[in-house]
Amino acid sequence: MLINDTEKLYPSAKILVRDKVASRLHAKDESLYDFDEAAAECAKNYTGWATLASQPPYPYKKIQAFAEGIIAEGFKTVLLIGQGGSTQAPMTITKYNKVDRNALDFKVLDSVSPVRVRSILAGLDLERTLVLVSSKSGGTIEMRSVLDAVLDHFEMYLKTEKIPSHLVAITDPGSDLEKRAHDEGWRACFLGEPTVGGRFSALSVFGLVPAALVGIDLGGFLGHAKDAERVCSENSIDNPAITLASFLYDNYLNGRDKFSFLTPKRGRVLGLWIEQLVAESLGKQGVGILPNIELDTLLLVEDPKDRSVITYQTKTDLWDERKNFDMSLAYLDSAIPRLSFRIDSVLDLAEHFVMWEYATAMCGYLMKRCPFDQPDVASTKAAALKFLAEGCPKPDFTENFIGNVNMGEAEVTIAPCIKSDTLMGALRNLFASIKPGDYFALNAFLPFDGEGRREALEVIRHGVADKLGVVSCLEIGPRYLHSTGQLQKGGTNNGVFLMVSADELKDIPLRHVEPESLGMLARTQAAADLSILIERGRRCMHLHLPDNSGVTIRALGDAVMKVLDEIERERAAE
């Protein structure tokens, strides 16, 4: 059930009811967005998501039968290769359901890190692994590059003629991926609905095929979604999507342009889906709302006045975990606006997909921004392809030291607004530029697997939040390029960005795509994104490390903490 615990009526709710926004969304009325001719045209082409539950374009029983056949045949693992909207909802559904026992082990490979790719492939029984290749356009460079590496691995252990029976495509009609699947005789090809954008595709074949493969009853799943669709399309103050949209928008008008998403561990994967949906849909043309995932509630003991809070209770059988979460919420300043929801089963997820999609589209209406395009995502894609063809620009300078640690040659490229000729000077200028109301993002094109790597990155993220009192995000590259990357480049200019990439100790070469290796792709994407951030006047720098070992990343963390401590002392003395 879509129930929240707020009794407050936010003013914009009356606007949404008055203008019949909910029912017009359900009717796919593009005139909702006629404040801009391009926005109305985009809405005309991309509102198919509004009726996916009540008018499913693909027979869900066929998907269910396919999944049951795969399970009966003895497959044990599904590996999903994709990026952005093609992977985020499946990751949410399958990870949330894992606690209740998935029928098949489900793994998602949306990283181009050679460390991550090797880690995933090393644990697979290839004879009993099904590979889903998911891309609406069929041409996403991350998907094509990772698939190239995965197929090379398969060819080492399976007969060539057997490999197509392990491959399934999920794509839109007419894509190169559909053609390849048919030409090579892949096991199946599921075609999506072209009027549904990637981040709105949770209830399309992109989300339903993975859901069925882990044993979820699609009839029940879509039944919950259909009920939510009916409620969320009503022009009523009681509509939960209207409640959510007005909460987000009215707090945004009051300077709270960020919200912290708080949930027990099981629900955090829903936060990542929400992060992509909201940031990419609303972060454009100089405005935006930033979701902040995985927050320490002690950072909100005092109201920072630039954010609200959304909490999710999730079902867990562990008393200690429930109590731990409840105690964490007790530390929140009561002055911070809060909205709370609950999910009791994986079927409830379908309802919340619908509610958030409707609410996000409503926010776009209120903010006078088209929620269905992503113009600044395309700019980084174009820059990356150019750099792959012509080579990356030279760094501003190289340096062997992070603080007192000689780590080998690192490359540093810096936005003009924070110029320095030393690494420590650049870090200091970058972090000293952060002021109240800003946010920081550590955009890491690094492996999160392995001892000490993620922990060192978390030191930086938490250190910035603690010492400087601002929202601090740890973003995984290249995933964030299809998510918060849109807001970072197209939203309000209140973000500060540190991009980190590294040479690979053991790279994975590629044969049939533009990059020579996965490591080269990651480095190029980091450089390309920095170039667009600089072009947009953002405060940013790119640090390319000589390796991605835990000890090197930890040295970076120590150096950042030294800089933060200095800035904190200076500000306290003012």
Side-chain angles (χ1 to χ4, degrees), residues 247-539:
F247 173 84
L248 292 172
Y249 179 69
D250 287 2
N251 280 303
Y252 161 79
L253 289 181
N254 290 325
R256 298 181 186 270
D257 61 347
K258 313 166 190 74
F259 68 88
S260 297
F261 181 86
L262 303 176
T263 178
K265 183 178 180 180
R266 186 178 185 183
R268 285 178 198 154
V269 71
L270 172 62
L272 294 175
W273 178 81
I274 290 170
E275 179 185 50
Q276 176 189 245
L277 177 71
V278 174
E280 195 171 24
S281 297
L282 305 179
K284 57 196 70 170
Q285 297 176 320
V287 304
I289 296 175
L290 173 67
N292 183 210
I293 313 301
E294 296 186 15
L295 180 85
D296 180 354
T297 55
L298 290 178
L299 298 171
L300 295 179
V301 170
E302 294 183 9
D303 180 12
K305 296 183 170 54
D306 69 339
R307 69 201 84 164
S308 57
V309 167
I310 293 178
T311 70
Y312 262 85
Q313 292 280 358
T314 58
K315 183 181 178 182
T316 172
D317 295 326
L318 297 176
W319 180 90
D320 290 322
E321 187 174 336
R322 293 197 304 272
K323 190 66 175 177
N324 182 58
F325 181 63
D326 290 341
M327 290 178 68
S328 73
L329 297 182
Y331 290 101
L332 295 173
D333 189 330
S334 60
I336 304 174
R338 189 191 308 188
L339 192 60
S340 300
F341 296 100
R342 180 179 183 86
I343 291 179
D344 287 320
S345 74
V346 72
L347 300 184
D348 290 346
L349 273 179
E351 302 177 13
H352 289 263
F353 286 149
V354 172
M355 178 185 70
W356 276 95
E357 288 170 353
Y358 268 81
T360 300
M362 291 173 183
C363 281
Y365 171 78
L366 293 167
M367 296 170 74
K368 297 295 181 282
R369 296 294 185 273
C370 177
F372 310 118
D373 63 357
Q374 50 282 330
D376 301 288
V377 171
S379 62
T380 292
K381 289 181 181 179
L385 289 173
K386 179 183 178 185
F387 288 177
L388 285 171
E390 302 175 4
C392 292
K394 292 183 179 180
D396 290 331
F397 63 88
T398 61
E399 188 171 325
N400 285 344
F401 283 85
I402 297 181
N404 297 321
V405 178
N406 188 335
M407 57 172 177
E409 188 172 88
E411 300 178 4
V412 186
T413 308
I414 319 170
C417 56
I418 57 161
K419 213 65 176 174
S420 175
D421 56 5
T422 67
L423 175 53
M424 292 299 289
L427 289 172
R428 178 177 175 78
N429 291 346
L430 182 75
F431 290 112
S433 75
I434 296 176
K435 57 187 183 297
D438 285 343
Y439 71 93
F440 169 73
L442 174 57
N443 297 334
F445 289 80
L446 298 169
F448 280 49
D449 301 71
E451 184 177 0
R453 288 188 175 108
R454 172 139 197 169
E455 293 84 350
L457 295 170
E458 289 288 2
V459 165
I460 299 174
R461 181 185 73 89
H462 184 83
V464 173
D466 182 42
K467 302 291 186 181
L468 303 183
V470 298
V471 165
S472 184
C473 312
L474 175 57
E475 303 287 358
I476 300 175
R479 179 194 295 172
Y480 83 89
L481 295 176
H482 304 264
S483 174
T484 51
Q486 167 61 43
L487 179 136
Q488 290 179 8
K489 293 180 285 290
T492 310
N493 190 359
N494 62 342
V496 176
F497 311 104
L498 174 59
M499 341 270 293
V500 184
S501 58
D503 285 346
E504 295 291 337
L505 297 176
K506 185 181 180 184
D507 207 347
I508 295 179
L510 304 173
R511 294 189 295 164
H512 306 106
V513 289
E514 296 90 335
E516 294 179 2
S517 68
L518 287 179
M520 172 183 281
L521 175 58
R523 177 177 183 166
T524 302
Q525 288 182 306
D529 200 42
L530 182 86
S531 72
I532 303 301
L533 287 168
I534 291 176
E535 184 181 288
R536 303 295 163 84
R538 274 29 178 179
R539 291 161 284 170

Side-chain angles (χ1 to χ4, degrees), residues 52 56-60 62-63 80 85-86 89-90 93 106 132-136 168-173 189-194 196 200-213 218 222:
L52 279 175
Y58 197 100
Y60 76 85
K62 287 188 177 181
I63 299 174
L80 172 63
S86 299
I93 295 166
F106 200 96
L132 300 184
V133 185
S134 185
S135 170
K136 283 186 66 64
V168 174
I170 308 176
T171 188
D172 276 0
C189 181
F190 292 94
L191 296 180
E193 169 53 52
V196 178
F200 286 83
S201 65
L203 297 172
S204 73
V205 290
F206 290 91
L208 296 181
V209 174
L213 285 167
L218 295 188
L222 288 173

